[in-house]
Amino acid sequence: MNQYDVTVIGSGPGGYVAAIRCAQLGLKTAIIEKYPTLGGTCLNVGCIPSKALLDSTEHYHNAHTTFKEHGIELSDLRVNMNQLIDRKNGVVKANVDGVAFLMKKNKIDVLQGVGSFIDKNHLRITPTGGGEEQQIETKNVIIATGSKPTVLPFIQQDKQRIITSTEALNIREVPRHFMVIGGGVIGLEMASVFVRLGAKVSVIEYADALIPSMDRSLGKEIQRVLKKTGVEFSLSHKVTGATREGDSVTVTATNPKGEEVKFEGDYCLVAVGRVPYTQGLNLEAAGVQMEERGRIKVDEHLQTSVPGIYAIGDVVRGAMLAHKAEEEGVFVAETIAGQKPHINYLLIPGVVYTWPEVAGVGYTEEQLKEMGKAYKSGQFPFRASGRARASMDLDGFVKVLADKETDEILGVHMIGPRIADLIAEAVTAMEFRASAEDVARMSHAHPTYAEAMKEACLAATENRALHM
């Protein structure tokens, strides 16, 4: 029986990063993955393929809408859906092959099959494609099995016309009418993909705002911008059902007046969140305790109720984000090795990869009001940015929230071009507890999108933005 210092169950961003850090720290490490490829949801059917489609469709959209103004004239412009999907698949393969290389480089044993507990120090690996099961002994276990799409009990998903995000990533035709249940991150990203290709797109959301977990100003702005591209929104609508007849899907919902309304299209994406995935782990055999919503109960060290068994990522409390899982993977690896790492969960940014991109970190304005915290706000629009004007990306803004007395930055909320990258400046500043004045006095190259962060900080300190 093979013996390991650490065994990681699940090879998504949390799992494979945890395994790499364990190996770097000199721990004999194995990683168990039930699917043929490594990388988990994120690399195979989540973050990476969706970004590939978002990039491809944004190129196509710009060719249709802005190239002529740039002086670029095209004729007979059309989309090749097969090539679009094939390119996406190539991007996925390159990434998952890269993870396999990293496992080999770091001398991590990859065990193919479903991992389950025999007891706290012994695991069974059952091959999914048949073959002999194996058993291993391990001093520590890191559970990193991720999540799966939430299923609405009153909607039968056939995964052909009534689909999850997994199936949406492989549609090889431009839908006639693509309906999305859920106005969160996944729903808005997939809505963006298909509206750019020319499909009619309708987003049906239960809440009264889009991306409701983020600062409300971001949801209002992205709704305004996506409306311009043709996306139709029905907020405060409670979906009651979805049925398929042939190639047609009908979604029924109750509108704010209590009236039943119907939406008819050829595809319906159900994107109402995700739930932890712990099926088949046999956690009871190890004595691991659970908590509400199917999550694994962990302490401040991400250790479960059983010493030596840890859990990270989507199976524990907190935001379901790949980069949060990565931070937790490193945290647990270093904890096992006897180090004292830290994670500031307030400073894990959230990003939506629409165009314009959306991101936020720290407290929202709504949270500060609820806390009774005295704060000041500074906002700078990209319409006043020279760099944004040059690239014709004038929608959006950067908003900085700072402590009214100390000027410490408490939250930063952005929507605009390249925001997914720009939010890192806000995270860095807040990690070092910078004031708005500190950032305002740092030189930012001109012309850049990042100047909007400096200007928003200037606006937050005595309302002294220079370019508005």
Side-chain angles (χ1 to χ4, degrees), residues 6-23 29-33 38-40 99 103 108 142-146 312-314 322 324-330 333:
V6 182
T7 301
V8 182
I9 306 177
S11 71
Y16 84 73
V17 167
I20 291 171
R21 188 66 185 124
C22 285
T29 306
I31 190 166
I32 302 171
E33 174 53 57
L38 302 176
V99 174
M103 297 301 101
I108 297 163
I142 302 174
I143 302 168
T145 46
I312 64 172
D314 291 2
K324 178 253 197 186
E326 289 182 353
E327 296 300 326
E328 290 180 333
V330 171

Side-chain angles (χ1 to χ4, degrees), residues 234 237-238 240 250-255 259-263:
S234 297
H237 277 60
K238 181 182 179 181
T240 55
T250 301
V251 175
T252 55
T254 305
N255 70 14
E259 303 163 337
E260 183 179 90
V261 291
K262 293 185 177 182
F263 303 83

Side-chain angles (χ1 to χ4, degrees), residues 91 169 175 204 265 297 405:
V91 170
L169 293 167
I204 309 155
K297 187 177 181 180
E405 299 301 321

